[in-house]
Amino acid sequence: MPRSTPANQELGRPAAPRRRSWFRQSLLLLLAMGCGVLVANNPFRPSSENPDATARGYLRFKEILSYVDRDYADTVDTEGLADYAVMQMLEKLDPHSVYIPARDRDRTDAFLQSDFDGVGIEFNLFRDTMTVVAPLSGGPAEQAGVQPGDQVLSIAGKRVSGARLTTAQLTQLLRGPRGSSVALELRRRRLPRSLSVSIPRSRIPNSSIDAAYLVDSQTGYIKVSRFASGTYDEFKAALADLRRQGLTRLVLDLRGNPGGYLDRATRLADEFIAGSRKIVYTDGKGDQYDSQTYARVAGEFEEGPLVVLVDEGSASAAEVVAGALQDHDRAIIVGRRTFGKGLVQQPIPLSDGGELRLTIARYYTPVGRSIQKPYGANYAEYSSDVAKRAAHGELESADSTHFAKELRFRTDHGRTVYGGGGIMPDIFVPRDSLAHSAYYTALMAHGAPRAFALSFYQTHKEELQALRFEQFNATFRISDAQLASLAAQAAQDGVVADAGATRRCAGLLRNQMKAYIARSAYGLVPYYTVLREHDLELQRALHAVGDSTAQLALLGK
């Protein structure tokens, strides 16, 4: 039988199929070799069970992206498309596996660093004007003469007042290489013309300990905002200082703490847990991602009343600390159920400077409780979980939280605790509904109370400086006329005036405005001292840490 002639040769076209087939086979071989090299150099070895599917998926994506780039009707941003595709792919896995492009690495990494290069200014945006809340004590801005209430008109010659820049953009303008300088144009009350100052940038501490002070002669309060690179050392120093002042009982505030470095969190927990008891363990795909962390050192505060404050914003490493202390009956947990983020992400640097943070395991508390709340493929539904808790009444009543009986566990002394998503406190405190009311939230979002406080501070600076904080705290009160003035100023900024809402929020607003004035005039500790008066969760925690009956019950006596 005669051999048939390929149709493409009959039509006079070049014979390509055989070469194309050879090319594809060669490409697959090269890809397989490349995968082998990547695996060899990658400590996070992917499963070898199905390498062909991975290769086919890679080639499919590459082929489609090539066609889009070459043949699509309009010009396209292929890198942007690739980023989008990767992010959508990771969302299918779980809510916390993420890809961070190279352009965003510095910003995301800065959150977990304990210092940065800058000028040391805490600022607020009000009516699209950058206003200094306070220069960092001893920092370059303070040494250059920057004062609370100064309005920043331009940075390095760039107009920023009325420019509709975000806080992140303004922060980026202030930061820069250590030793370089940045020029600021400032407007200061009572001066006829603006001021120009040149501020040298230097290393600025970015502490994760927001406050550490004695509430009374025995009771210490430490607020940890995140678990950054320097958190453990900062915490040790703060705790040692309070011990020297007479601390015998402690309130540890982890509200709103989104987590961070796990090892800093476990070392902090080790300061409270005696012996060699387990703090946390992880379970992943294969033994290489399984780990168990135990207490190792003689801690600074292994005995003595301890209360930990948590809420729906406490997540990840913060939940690890709360769960370990609760499982070992070392602390009373006060507040509301935590976020429920118990997936372990491993940072994997990529060749283009980006980073993949891939979920490789799950966190479990010492008694075996899973911290991670349930999730599915719907990322939007997962991210709205806290809003759903509010809608279901969980933030107002402990009875609205339901746990499956099969997720019941026992602490060291036999108390019942539950797994399946977040850490449920031992003492529930409902969320302050006024602090989350629409009017109060709008005022805070627009920065109206802080702007009013800064203006008041500038007007009465000499009088405030003549008072000790104790005198100010005992005698100062925001008047009804000042509240009305606040509402009027906020209305000019688009917050619709509501006399009834102002009246209902009056106590909270007075407290917040007074705290902001104290922040400008006296510092951070006075700020937190004033806020304590209307902090329902902290008030309950202070009661629990001083309640000997509750502490004995915790110890099973």
Side-chain angles (χ1 to χ4, degrees), residues 23-327:
F23 174 76
R24 285 184 176 174
Q25 290 176 4
S26 300
L27 184 60
L28 281 171
L29 179 62
L30 287 171
L31 178 62
M33 292 172 63
C35 287
V37 172
L38 289 173
V39 169
N41 290 306
N42 190 339
F44 319 109
R45 298 176 184 273
S47 170
S48 58
E49 294 176 1
N50 197 10
D52 291 344
T54 304
R56 287 195 299 271
Y58 168 78
L59 289 174
R60 185 183 308 119
F61 178 77
K62 180 180 178 181
E63 187 175 20
I64 291 172
L65 188 64
S66 298
Y67 276 119
V68 169
D69 182 44
R70 188 184 64 210
D71 298 329
Y72 186 67
D74 299 319
T75 301
V76 295
D77 175 9
T78 50
E79 285 201 43
L81 285 175
D83 287 353
Y84 177 78
V86 168
M87 291 172 183
Q88 291 293 106
M89 174 181 69
L90 293 175
E91 281 187 13
K92 284 289 185 181
L93 302 179
D94 68 82
H96 299 294
S97 288
V98 294
Y99 162 63
I100 301 172
R103 63 181 178 273
D104 297 331
R105 282 284 303 278
D106 288 345
R107 179 174 55 83
T108 55
D109 290 347
F111 175 75
L112 294 177
Q113 299 307 310
S114 291
D115 50 27
F116 59 89
D117 291 337
V119 299
I121 289 178
E122 180 185 345
F123 66 88
N124 181 52
L125 275 174
F126 182 66
R127 294 184 185 170
D128 204 22
T129 299
M130 178 181 177
T131 306
V132 177
V133 172
L136 180 71
S137 179
E142 184 184 61
Q143 293 175 10
V146 177
Q147 298 178 7
D150 285 349
Q151 294 178 324
V152 182
L153 304 180
S154 68
I155 301 175
K158 178 182 177 64
R159 190 76 179 178
V160 296
S161 179
R164 299 190 179 280
L165 298 177
T166 65
T167 298
Q169 289 171 321
L170 291 168
T171 299
Q172 197 63 33
L173 289 173
L174 290 173
R175 295 185 180 182
R178 194 182 326 179
S180 64
S181 294
V182 60
L184 268 60
E185 182 186 2
L186 306 174
R187 180 168 55 210
R188 183 172 297 166
R189 183 186 290 267
R190 296 178 181 172
L191 292 184
R193 56 178 58 88
S194 62
L195 299 170
S196 294
V197 296
S198 179
I199 307 177
R201 296 182 176 101
S202 66
R203 206 64 179 160
I204 304 297
N206 186 24
S207 177
S208 53
I209 306 297
D210 284 357
Y213 64 95
L214 285 183
V215 176
D216 55 38
S217 61
Q218 303 179 70
T219 309
Y221 170 83
I222 300 178
K223 180 171 178 60
V224 182
S225 62
R226 66 195 190 285
F227 289 99
S229 57
T231 298
Y232 175 70
D233 293 332
E234 294 169 14
F235 175 79
K236 281 275 289 183
L239 183 59
D241 182 55
L242 294 182
R243 290 290 298 270
R244 285 191 293 270
Q245 296 179 49
L247 175 145
T248 60
R249 53 198 187 198
L250 176 65
V251 174
L252 176 65
D253 192 346
L254 299 181
R255 289 175 297 178
N257 183 319
Y261 291 120
L262 177 64
D263 64 325
R264 273 60 163 193
T266 55
R267 291 176 71 190
L268 186 148
D270 196 356
E271 292 298 312
F272 304 114
I273 296 173
S276 56
R277 288 182 286 181
K278 187 181 295 183
I279 295 175
V280 67
Y281 70 92
T282 64
D283 184 22
K285 183 194 288 186
D287 295 343
Q288 69 268 35
Y289 299 126
D290 297 346
S291 67
Q292 301 192 53
T293 303
Y294 293 86
R296 298 184 298 107
V297 302
E300 186 75 22
F301 196 67
E302 292 183 348
E303 294 183 357
L306 174 64
V307 165
V308 178
L309 272 169
V310 296
D311 64 9
E312 55 280 357
S314 308
S316 192
E319 296 176 284
V320 167
V321 174
L325 296 175
Q326 188 179 52
D327 281 7

